Amino acid sequence: MMAPTGVAVADPEPADAPLTAYSLATAETQSITVSSVEGADIAPAARSGFDVYVKPKPKPKPKPAPKPAAETASSNRSTGPSMPRYSGGGSKEDWMTAAGIARGDWAYVDYIVSRESGWNPNATNASSGACGLVQALPCSKVPGNGYDPVDNLRWGNGYAVGRYGSWAAAYNFWSRNHWW
């Protein structure tokens, strides 16, 4: 018969606690006790550390006074620019040729303009005021008349090439974002 050999059971060795930001902070805490003695001048304790800056809340801007109903009604009618609407004829091919857009870019222009204005030279976005075939915003950016399809496409050509590098790149951006 075999019996246990009488091994003593001891508490396991304490494992080192992992170092964390919390454990480091608690190890460096200080306890300060300030006793008040009548007539004693107690100065604040100088500590190293950090400064706290509080950014004040800005004062709210005053709200504009509401416009009278008559003034509001007249301003709603003139949300678009005061430029004359286009009443001439022509086809989109004629307009792109006159605006100097390369024939190889016509498919890209057609795609964007079809979605922006449906090839309506007098299209105006009621909420933003963008106008014309390419929906120039603001409409006053277009030299000449923002509703003239040739002026609008000429401006749009400069915008597409200036901002995106080409009509093809503008088309790719529009395809991903549904705006340009």
Side-chain angles (χ1 to χ4, degrees):
M1 166 151 89
M2 294 189 107
T5 58
V7 176
V9 178
D11 289 335
E13 287 285 325
D16 289 335
L19 289 179
T20 63
Y22 178 76
S23 66
L24 291 173
T26 56
E28 293 185 15
T29 58
Q30 298 176 7
S31 189
I32 297 176
T33 305
V34 178
S35 300
S36 173
V37 177
E38 219 171 291
D41 185 22
I42 300 174
R47 296 184 183 182
S48 64
F50 55 91
D51 295 329
V52 176
Y53 297 95
V54 177
K55 183 177 178 182
K57 289 184 180 179
K59 293 181 182 176
K61 294 180 182 178
K63 294 182 181 177
K67 295 180 181 180
E71 186 180 328
T72 304
S74 67
S75 67
N76 283 344
R77 278 184 252 118
S78 63
T79 54
S82 60
M83 295 178 213
R85 302 293 179 149
Y86 183 72
S87 60
S91 67
K92 57 185 171 185
E93 292 82 9
D94 295 337
W95 297 336
M96 287 188 281
T97 301
I101 298 172
R103 190 173 188 85
D105 290 333
W106 284 9
Y108 303 122
V109 177
D110 184 44
Y111 181 88
I112 292 172
V113 173
S114 293
R115 282 145 185 85
E116 290 291 324
S117 66
W119 284 99
N120 176 2
N122 295 316
T124 303
N125 184 313
S127 62
S128 70
C131 76
L133 296 176
V134 297
Q135 293 293 284
L137 181 64
C139 196
S140 60
K141 281 185 176 179
V142 179
N145 181 348
Y147 292 110
D148 181 287
V150 175
D151 289 347
N152 198 275
L153 284 171
R154 191 176 292 127
W155 177 85
N157 191 47
Y159 177 77
V161 173
R163 178 168 179 155
Y164 301 103
S166 68
W167 276 102
Y171 161 81
N172 288 333
F173 183 88
W174 203 105
S175 297
R176 286 188 312 273
N177 300 287
H178 305 289
W179 63 274
W180 74 312

